[in-house]
Amino acid sequence: MDLFGENALIKHERSIDRDSKGRFAKKMIAEADTAKRKAKSYQLMYESERSRNRGFWEMIRQKDEEIIRLRNKLKDYE
């Protein structure tokens, strides 16, 4: 209770939604903006991981190409 006899912890019936720039927005717009921001961050993480492991994927691709090339050679001999 506060000085006026009211409960100090009043719950707000509505939460205030904001977009990524801190402006007031409707709930759907705020959630969409948050989802876009998360998608961009996940895309950056994916691209950075892909560039870090580029050598590994290059070896895998070369291995597959070599297997296909050898299979084709075997078919030519038959």
Side-chain angles (χ1 to χ4, degrees):
M1 294 277 214
D2 62 358
L3 295 174
F4 303 105
E6 296 177 3
N7 193 357
L9 301 173
I10 298 172
K11 289 187 177 181
H12 295 285
E13 292 181 12
R14 287 185 49 185
S15 63
I16 299 172
D17 296 315
R18 297 179 181 263
D19 63 1
S20 63
K21 294 182 180 179
R23 299 176 297 200
F24 294 109
K26 293 182 181 177
K27 184 172 184 156
M28 190 169 75
I29 294 172
E31 288 174 356
D33 196 33
T34 304
K36 284 181 189 177
R37 191 173 22 130
K38 285 183 180 179
K40 284 182 182 179
S41 67
Y42 287 134
Q43 181 182 10
L44 286 173
M45 287 191 301
Y46 169 76
E47 289 174 356
S48 67
E49 185 65 27
R50 206 171 143 205
S51 68
R52 219 178 302 144
N53 292 327
R54 183 171 289 152
F56 174 74
W57 296 111
E58 183 73 21
M59 288 188 303
I60 297 294
R61 185 183 60 79
Q62 288 177 354
K63 174 198 65 97
D64 292 340
E65 289 175 353
E66 183 72 16
I67 289 171
I68 291 169
R69 189 178 63 78
L70 291 172
R71 281 184 185 162
N72 290 337
K73 269 189 174 181
L74 282 175
K75 286 180 184 178
D76 291 341
Y77 286 120
E78 291 177 355

